[in-house]
Amino acid sequence: MGFGAKWRGWMEKLVFKSHMSILVNGSSTEDFEVGKGLRQGDPLSPFLFVLVTEGLTGLVRKSIEIGEFDYFSINRNCPIDILQFADDTLLVGKGNWKHIWAIKAVLKAFELVSGLGIKYHKSKLIGINLNGSFLEAASNVLSCKVKDSNFFFLGIPVGYNPRKNETWEPLLSKMRNRLADADKGGEGVHASSKRFLMGGGGEDKRCIHWISWREVTKPFEKGGLGIKNIEDFNLSLLSKWRWKIIQGADSLWYKVLKERYGDLVLKVMGGAVDPIERRKASFWWKDLMKLGSNSFFDPFLSSCRFLLRNGYNIPFWDVMWLNGLILKEVFSNLYEASSLKMVLVAAMGGWVDNRWTWGNCGISENRLLEHEVAVE
């Protein structure tokens, strides 16, 4: 990977020449030399572990190169084979026996060369539109369990309907347990605040809320309790995705979205979307497009600057042009007369022989004549 000899020497000493002791009945034993392995709690261990697991990616790539591993491809243009985050790994490929045996060979090879053991009993085999008997037989070969298409990856529910309460029940259950532990631990302030907000009742009992949610979510310095406003937080996260899409990227997630939804920038900016495509879109993508269509020019976009180019991504009336001019404010009469209020620049005209030619701007010829002097 290009690391120098001195750096590799340091890492070798840290891993193979370090000393440690253990506690036996509360007493420390004599130090002994560690022969191998990463130490839990060592700040370097996560980084070294990531370097080691990079070897798994290399084995998958080699398996693809020799024609053994069959990766999954979106529209034959966006291959997906392995997704990794520390020790959480997702192998993605076609549902056939060739692929199953390739996975087994790759995992066994990784165990042999790295010295790491894979916990197969904790691993899951997930099939999409595959026969149940095939999955059962394949799970026996891989020594793992079969899992349905709804699962959690990095704590995120995948395949679940986010609009249903049962999707979030595991998360809510964890929160209840943590709150209960905090109360048992003597967190009096937290417990008193909770009883005050909920009126002293249980979850199944309707209570009087003695303070508005708006006041609760204000920061401490403004008299609130500093509780996060989930609606604003969700808006922030969606806006962050819009920004990443507008910026453009060469990453895998961007390629996947582009293969599935086409022109990403146009759609998150409020561009027209085919009704059939909208019905097939994920809930997250629907929310992202809705954010652009509901407020064609919002606080997020007011903080952005645009390059005009073909005009297919920029609002005409609402965008702030040079010198801070907003056309619907400068030409308010024309804006009121126009039937095209939420429209892109490209819909108002076009380039002809390197010269911009205006269309009717959604204004009838008679109404346009009324404002001719004002326009001049």
Side-chain angles (χ1 to χ4, degrees):
M1 295 184 179
F3 294 107
K6 181 180 288 189
W7 187 89
R8 296 200 306 271
W10 292 343
M11 295 305 106
E12 185 177 9
K13 287 182 172 61
L14 285 172
V15 175
F16 300 108
K17 300 296 182 181
S18 59
H19 291 76
M20 64 181 297
S21 64
I22 59 175
L23 294 176
V24 178
N25 296 329
S27 300
S28 177
T29 65
E30 293 184 2
D31 289 357
F32 58 90
E33 190 174 279
V34 179
K36 64 177 181 178
L38 303 177
R39 292 167 293 182
Q40 186 173 1
D42 188 332
L44 272 177
S45 293
F47 298 99
L48 295 175
F49 183 83
V50 169
L51 293 179
V52 173
T53 55
E54 185 67 19
L56 180 59
T57 301
L59 287 170
V60 171
R61 298 286 190 269
K62 185 64 177 179
S63 183
I64 293 174
E65 181 183 327
I66 63 178
E68 294 295 329
F69 193 93
D70 293 329
Y71 57 78
F72 176 75
S73 181
I74 300 177
N75 294 339
R76 299 181 180 180
N77 194 34
C78 183
I80 302 176
D81 42 51
I82 183 171
L83 303 175
Q84 288 178 285
F85 185 85
D87 60 344
D88 285 309
T89 301
L90 195 63
L91 294 171
V92 185
K94 296 179 181 178
N96 53 46
W97 280 112
K98 178 183 177 182
H99 181 232
I100 295 298
W101 287 111
I103 290 179
K104 189 175 183 69
V106 165
L107 296 179
K108 286 295 183 182
F110 179 68
E111 286 185 312
L112 290 173
V113 299
S114 68
L116 296 175
I118 297 174
K119 296 179 180 178
Y120 291 96
H121 65 284
K122 288 188 176 181
S123 302
K124 303 291 188 297
L125 181 65
I126 302 166
I128 308 295
N129 298 325
L130 291 176
N131 184 275
S133 58
F134 169 79
L135 291 174
E136 193 65 35
S139 67
N140 291 329
V141 171
L142 296 173
S143 303
C144 64
K145 298 179 180 179
V146 177
K147 180 72 175 177
D148 58 29
S149 57
N150 297 337
F151 62 97
F152 282 80
F153 184 62
L154 303 178
I156 304 297
V158 178
Y160 292 89
N161 186 343
R163 300 290 193 268
K164 293 185 177 180
N165 292 332
E166 54 263 31
T167 299
W168 305 105
E169 184 54 38
L171 177 61
L172 294 174
S173 179
K174 288 183 179 180
M175 292 177 64
R176 295 190 195 100
N177 292 336
R178 289 189 178 183
L179 289 173
D181 291 340
D183 290 344
K184 292 175 183 177
E187 297 287 343
V189 175
H190 177 79
S192 299
S193 300
K194 188 174 70 170
R195 284 195 297 270
F196 173 73
L197 290 173
M198 300 306 297
E203 292 185 6
D204 298 329
K205 182 179 178 181
R206 299 193 66 176
C207 308
I208 298 174
H209 288 214
W210 299 102
I211 185 173
S212 70
W213 188 249
R214 184 184 297 274
E215 296 297 321
V216 169
T217 56
K218 284 184 178 180
F220 290 108
E221 58 270 19
K222 293 186 178 181
L225 297 181
I227 296 177
K228 185 179 296 182
N229 187 314
I230 301 300
E231 185 176 355
D232 289 345
F233 185 63
N234 182 59
L235 178 62
S236 299
L237 292 177
L238 290 174
S239 297
K240 184 177 180 180
W241 276 112
R242 293 175 73 190
W243 173 249
K244 293 174 73 173
I245 289 174
I246 291 172
Q247 286 288 92
D250 192 35
S251 56
L252 179 61
W253 66 265
Y254 190 91
K255 293 177 181 177
V256 171
L257 289 178
K258 189 172 183 179
E259 288 297 324
R260 182 169 182 183
Y261 298 118
D263 191 333
L264 302 181
V265 176
L266 176 63
K267 290 171 182 176
V268 299
M269 295 284 285
V273 180
D274 182 71
I276 298 178
E277 178 188 333
R278 184 180 292 276
R279 286 198 298 269
K280 294 181 179 180
S282 67
F283 289 102
W284 169 78
W285 185 249
K286 288 178 182 177
D287 288 342
L288 207 57
M289 290 189 294
K290 185 179 179 181
L291 191 64
S293 60
N294 279 358
S295 51
F296 200 23
F297 191 74
D298 50 41
F300 167 76
L301 293 181
S302 65
S303 302
C304 301
R305 298 194 64 169
F306 302 89
L307 294 176
L308 181 59
R309 294 180 181 171
N310 58 16
Y312 277 99
N313 295 327
I314 303 179
F316 177 75
W317 294 107
D318 301 277
V319 75
M320 186 178 295
W321 295 81
L322 294 179
N323 300 322
L325 299 179
I326 299 177
L327 296 183
K328 73 175 183 181
E329 297 177 357
V330 178
F331 302 105
S332 56
N333 292 335
L334 284 175
Y335 176 73
E336 293 300 327
S338 176
S339 61
L340 302 176
K341 296 291 194 300
M342 298 174 61
V343 65
L344 298 173
V345 172
M348 304 297 274
W351 295 100
V352 179
D353 297 329
N354 294 323
R355 183 182 180 88
W356 182 266
T357 302
W358 289 102
N360 61 17
C361 302
I363 305 174
S364 65
E365 187 174 348
N366 292 335
R367 294 295 301 275
L368 191 60
L369 290 174
E370 296 176 9
H371 302 285
E372 186 175 353
V373 176
V375 173
E376 291 178 354

